[in-house]
Amino acid sequence: MYDVIIVGGSCAGLSAAMTARMRNMEVLVLYAGDGSMGKIKQMDNYPGMPNVSGEELLRIFRKQAEDLGVISKKQLVQKILPMGKSFSVLAENDLYEAKSIILALGIARVSPLTGEEELLGQGVSYCATCDGMFYRGKQMLVVAGGIEAVEEANYLSELGQVTYIIEKAHDTAALAPGIKVIKEKPLAIHSIDNMRMMLKTDQNEHEADGIFVLRPAVAMTQLLPEVIAQKGAVLADDNLMTNIPGVFAAGDILGAPWQAPKSVGDGNVAALAAASYLRTLK
Ligand SMILES: Cc1cc2nc3c(=O)[nH]c(=O)nc-3n(C[C@H](O)[C@H](O)[C@H](O)COP(=O)(O)OP(=O)(O)OC[C@H]3O[C@@H](n4cnc5c(N)ncnc54)[C@H](O)[C@@H]3O)c2cc1C
């Protein structure tokens, strides 16, 4: 049981993790990638770090967090379940538990395809490692939302026949040779007689045994549907606690201004508030 699980390992999440460790909390950071920070070529408004790239700043943050005893794992979080006074967090094949949660996911850009959420677990999967084995020797479609999908599609191609449909442009040079790539816009998923799956694109329909939707993020409606958001931004009070007691938010997920120094400050506030919240549980 962790004191806090932080979802997101960029500037807001790592800042929260460092402050939480300073307050002696047991901290787990789960992150899918570098988020918006990874896209910054040069930043000139980060105090004390002129002309720094997002990648370099993250490298320094990660080292500092690790030195403070923060445990970080690169895993996509699929679901957070409130369990009374604690939370269960499902990340790929693993289930974790924590007394509090800090959401530091960045800007939520995920718009699920029509039918995707309804068919999750019934032919649609978000995790190649977890569900790939069910499709041994079968036909699979991968809806790829980022470069992270390449490695997972390569793994699936060792099990069966994979067709790769690019949802959001990214480099596919590292895809295994046997994978067929289709450049069509995915629109909707439906099942055929509860047996096979059908993906409708702007140009065609593609049939398969299973569809893997592999994006570096999960829609908030899927991750934690109980949390209240408005125009894509999670609502929180002055202490950055959301409408769910014990769930805090930090960084771009809270809406504008979308800025790195502000996100770092949010992480600090959310971690201190989580520490106060934990005291109320005792
Ligand atoms: C091109 C570009 C240039 C920019 N330039 C500047 C600048 O010059 N100055 C400035 O102040 N700001 C700049 N920004 C904005 C800045 O990058 C963001 O404000 C900042 O990165 C927000 O930090 P964050 O931690 O909230 O989110 P992000 O940096 O987006 O990180 C989100 C984290 O959450 C993780 N995540 C998301 N979903 C999941 C999930 N389901 N499971 C696990 N992990 C998940 C991601 O992998 C990532 O680790 C720029 C942004 C871009 C895109």
Side-chain angles (χ1 to χ4, degrees):
M1 171 76 81
Y2 290 94
D3 289 319
V4 63
I5 290 181
I6 299 169
V7 187
S10 179
C11 52
L14 291 169
S15 162
M18 289 185 232
T19 298
R21 277 303 297 150
M22 300 296 288
R23 286 297 173 104
N24 224 14
M25 292 159 80
E26 290 302 319
V27 183
L28 174 66
V29 174
L30 297 170
Y31 69 104
D34 291 348
S36 293
M37 273 291 272
K39 300 195 177 106
I40 307 178
K41 297 262 183 301
Q42 184 186 318
M43 186 165 25
D44 293 315
N45 64 330
Y46 201 86
M49 302 284 292
N51 311 324
V52 71
S53 70
E55 202 182 4
E56 172 66 357
L57 197 55
L58 273 184
R59 193 188 59 73
I60 296 168
F61 277 22
R62 285 201 177 119
K63 167 83 171 65
Q64 190 176 350
E66 196 185 320
D67 289 349
L68 284 166
V70 171
I71 301 166
S72 297
K73 292 187 182 176
K74 195 168 182 206
Q75 287 186 325
L76 182 75
V77 174
Q78 278 134 345
K79 193 96 196 144
I80 301 171
L81 293 156
M83 313 281 288
K85 291 206 163 155
S86 67
F87 299 88
S88 288
V89 176
L90 177 69
E92 297 177 13
N93 257 346
D94 296 315
L95 196 61
Y96 302 97
E97 260 190 284
K99 294 174 195 159
S100 65
I101 300 286
I102 297 177
L103 302 170
L105 309 166
I107 299 174
R109 292 190 192 84
V110 179
S111 328
L113 303 174
T114 303
E116 173 187 317
E117 290 181 308
E118 294 79 354
L119 290 165
L120 194 62
Q122 297 165 59
V124 174
S125 169
Y126 287 161
C127 178
T129 317
C130 321
D131 297 330
M133 292 308 268
F134 299 124
Y135 297 97
R136 189 176 276 283
K138 297 197 168 166
Q139 283 180 316
M140 291 165 271
L141 291 171
V142 168
V143 175
I147 195 157
E148 295 83 357
V150 168
E151 200 184 314
E152 294 189 68
N154 287 347
Y155 161 66
L156 292 174
S157 73
E158 291 167 14
L159 303 170
Q161 191 188 324
V162 173
T163 303
Y164 194 89
I165 298 177
I166 300 169
E167 181 177 50
K168 202 167 177 198
H170 58 272
D171 186 0
T172 55
L175 273 178
I179 297 176
K180 182 177 168 194
V181 179
I182 291 181
K183 290 179 184 160
E184 295 169 13
K185 187 176 159 47
L187 297 175
I189 298 174
H190 62 93
S191 75
I192 312 163
D193 302 331
N194 291 327
M195 294 286 287
R196 300 255 298 166
M197 307 304 294
M198 180 75 90
L199 176 77
K200 189 176 177 337
T201 69
D202 58 343
Q203 297 171 41
N204 240 315
E205 290 197 321
H206 302 275
E207 218 181 299
D209 295 295
I211 300 181
F212 287 84
V213 181
L214 304 177
R215 305 188 186 102
V218 174
M220 192 49 85
T221 45
Q222 168 69 28
L223 191 80
L224 181 56
E226 296 86 350
V227 91
I228 296 176
Q230 216 171 54
K231 292 183 186 160
V234 163
L235 298 185
D237 66 14
D238 288 349
N239 292 319
L240 302 188
M241 187 152 91
T242 67
N243 59 301
I244 307 170
V247 178
F248 301 82
D252 279 6
I253 193 171
L254 291 165
W258 298 288
Q259 294 278 278
K262 183 259 182 194
S263 300
V264 166
D266 283 352
N268 171 266
V269 172
L272 291 173
S276 301
Y277 169 80
L278 290 191
R279 279 197 296 279
T280 67
L281 293 182
K282 285 182 183 153

